[in-house]
Amino acid sequence: MSAIAASHLREAAAARRQSILLVFLCTLSGAAGQILGKIGMTHFTPNLFAIVTNVPLIGGYSLYGLNTLLMVLALRKGELSMLYPIIALTYVWVTLLSYTLLGEPPNLFKNCGIAMIVIGVAVLGSGGKAKV
Amino acid sequence: MTPQLFRSMLLVLGASVIGSFGAVFLKFGSAKITRNPLSFLNPQLGVGVTLYLGSSVFYFLAIRGGQLSILYPLVSLGYIWTLLWARLFFKESLTRQKFVGLGLILIGVVLVGMGAK
């Protein structure tokens, strides 16, 4: 392999890692946004002052904005078909946060489901052959 | 099937299609981003953000009615549409690795939905 081809391969691998990291952060902000939204909706009143002072709700929406920005940055250099399914990690974080923060009871279906999602994401994200 | 469930299912189906096109436009728009922050204001990104956030409104309206065990599997249809669009619009290769990874994720999402009330 020529030195130029090798450097292309290295660049492709670095871009891939970077885009996976960005989607990973996107799922964390998405999950935090959903949990905040859920908390915010529990003391929701249809009154403008109550809405603009509903810190969890505003925080939740801001995180959705951040989530979209991270997604765009990830898509810049990554494949849509690899990155988009990774967003399912959001379910994993939301489920775990619901257990710990919202006191929802764990169950076998949810636990198996989040395990499957984690394995699926690991399969998608694992090396593979980078194309030049 | 209650009319409310049917309505929720249609909303989720709509959300999955809209969201998948949102991702396509975000990808088109992301290609136009340069070091200049104003490059974020391009029409493709505008459409992408609108569709992406719009799909979450549909989704929110749908899941408000509950029945997540039926609705979550429909949500995950969005992953399948996106795979098709990635092939169609961006000529991405659909490898066995992607099918296996996506398959596991789909099963996982269905299971999480079955565990939810």
Side-chain angles (χ1 to χ4, degrees):
Chain A
M1 199 188 331
S2 74
I4 296 169
S7 96
H8 272 299
L9 266 181
R10 268 199 305 278
E11 268 175 43
R16 184 188 160 90
R17 272 197 302 276
Q18 193 195 20
S19 53
I20 291 175
L21 177 70
L22 284 165
V23 172
F24 188 84
L25 294 174
C26 165
T27 64
L28 287 177
S29 73
Q34 272 189 42
I35 294 289
L36 282 175
K38 233 173 167 176
I39 294 171
M41 285 311 280
T42 55
H43 47 92
F44 179 84
T45 38
N47 155 339
L48 188 62
F49 183 72
I51 293 172
V52 296
T53 54
N54 190 332
V55 176
L57 199 64
I58 301 290
Y61 274 108
S62 316
L63 283 170
Y64 267 123
L66 177 66
N67 168 292
T68 312
L69 176 67
L70 289 168
M71 187 68 204
V72 170
L73 294 176
L75 285 173
R76 252 181 94 196
K77 288 186 176 168
E79 283 189 309
L80 184 61
S81 54
M82 180 195 62
L83 297 173
Y84 196 75
I86 297 181
I87 299 177
L89 266 186
T90 310
Y91 288 108
V92 174
W93 313 133
V94 168
T95 305
L96 294 177
L97 287 170
S98 307
Y99 289 169
T100 53
L101 293 180
L102 305 180
E104 287 182 11
N107 67 50
L108 188 63
F109 281 120
K110 283 188 189 171
N111 293 342
C112 290
I114 61 179
M116 290 295 262
I117 294 174
V118 170
I119 298 170
V121 169
V123 168
L124 279 175
S126 64
K129 292 191 188 74
K131 291 208 177 80
V132 183
Chain B
M1 194 192 301
T2 64
Q4 201 218 349
L5 177 60
F6 185 67
R7 184 174 153 270
S8 299
M9 286 170 76
L10 282 183
L11 279 169
V12 171
L13 196 66
S16 78
V17 175
I18 295 170
S20 69
F21 276 107
V24 167
F25 278 96
L26 289 181
K27 170 91 178 145
F28 274 126
S30 72
K32 297 195 160 183
I33 295 171
T34 60
R35 296 217 172 272
N36 180 354
L38 286 176
S39 64
F40 275 90
L41 300 175
N42 68 65
Q44 284 89 341
L45 265 192
V47 174
V49 169
T50 308
L51 293 178
Y52 198 61
L53 295 181
S55 80
S56 66
V57 174
F58 270 56
Y59 178 58
F60 174 75
L61 289 174
I63 61 168
R64 219 170 33 162
Q67 301 270 23
L68 294 188
S69 55
I70 297 168
L71 299 178
Y72 268 29
L74 287 176
V75 172
S76 56
L77 284 175
Y79 298 115
I80 296 173
W81 310 140
T82 309
L83 206 68
L84 292 177
W85 309 148
R87 172 81 201 155
L88 198 66
F89 295 119
F90 305 109
K91 309 277 181 280
E92 292 181 9
S93 56
L94 300 185
T95 58
R96 184 150 39 133
Q97 185 187 5
K98 285 177 190 165
F99 281 118
V100 172
L102 180 62
L104 290 166
I105 288 171
L106 292 181
I107 296 170
V109 173
V110 170
L111 285 171
V112 170
M114 286 168 75
K117 279 188 213 77

